[in-house]
Amino acid sequence: MRVPTFRHTCNNVATNYCIRIFVPLYLILLLTHLRLAYIVLLFLLSFLGATAQPICHLKIKGIVLDGETNQPFEGVSVFLKEFNVGTVSDAKGRFELSKLCEGEHEVVYSFLGYKTYVAKYKLTEETVYDRVLLHTDTCVLES
């Protein structure tokens, strides 16, 4: 909708009458459009704010070592309990869990024949580095 300017409307009307009648009408019309635009903007901003989710860009990185030999441990299951996601340590014992949100997380480290290790991390920085030692489980039955 186009808002008329009072200059065009006042061409055929006495100037004094024009200023008293059309200028206030023009201002009311202009303010009505501004209010409508303001309400629409508030509505859009509130909708976008309600649907926005936190950006989860934090990481837990580290290395898993054999507790007896202090050598890198390949194939260790590194599992994040809350989200049922995990990874496996590589040939150099390294692992990385990414796209994590700020807060506390429990990570379970396990390998057959070794004691399961559970670590709790409080993520506030971008990346947490850890060095994990897994020790053999002496309660494993031998055949």
Side-chain angles (χ1 to χ4, degrees), residues 4 13 18 24-25 28 37-38 51 73 91 93 98 114 118 120 133 136-137:
V13 182
C18 182
L25 288 174
I28 290 170
Y38 182 71
T51 60
F73 206 151
S98 59
Y114 284 76
V118 179
K120 292 184 181 182
L133 296 174
T136 54
D137 191 356

Side-chain angles (χ1 to χ4, degrees), residues 20-140:
R20 278 189 272 154
I21 301 297
F22 290 108
V23 170
L25 288 174
Y26 176 74
L27 291 175
I28 290 170
L29 191 59
L30 183 65
L31 288 175
T32 304
H33 286 313
L34 289 176
R35 275 192 215 140
L36 181 62
Y38 182 71
I39 290 169
V40 169
L41 181 65
L42 283 177
F43 174 75
L44 290 175
L45 289 176
S46 66
F47 178 73
L48 291 175
T51 60
Q53 295 181 357
I55 299 173
C56 301
H57 62 278
L58 304 175
K59 296 178 184 178
I60 298 174
K61 287 178 153 184
I63 185 168
V64 182
L65 302 172
D66 186 311
E68 280 72 38
T69 64
N70 216 25
Q71 295 296 312
F73 206 151
E74 180 181 8
V76 174
S77 171
V78 182
F79 185 73
L80 191 62
K81 278 178 114 174
E82 299 96 285
F83 303 111
N84 290 329
V85 295
T87 187
V88 176
S89 60
D90 66 10
K92 294 182 180 179
R94 297 178 301 199
F95 69 90
E96 178 179 320
L97 296 168
S98 59
K99 298 181 181 177
L100 303 175
C101 296
E102 198 171 287
E104 292 187 14
H105 300 282
E106 261 188 30
V107 179
V108 179
Y109 301 90
S110 62
F111 192 82
L112 189 62
Y114 284 76
K115 292 180 184 175
T116 299
Y117 177 70
V118 179
K120 292 184 181 182
Y121 301 99
K122 186 172 184 177
L123 298 180
T124 55
E125 300 174 7
E126 191 167 323
T127 304
V128 172
Y129 295 95
D130 198 7
R131 184 172 170 259
V132 178
L133 296 174
L134 286 186
H135 299 279
T136 54
D137 191 356
T138 55
C139 294
V140 176

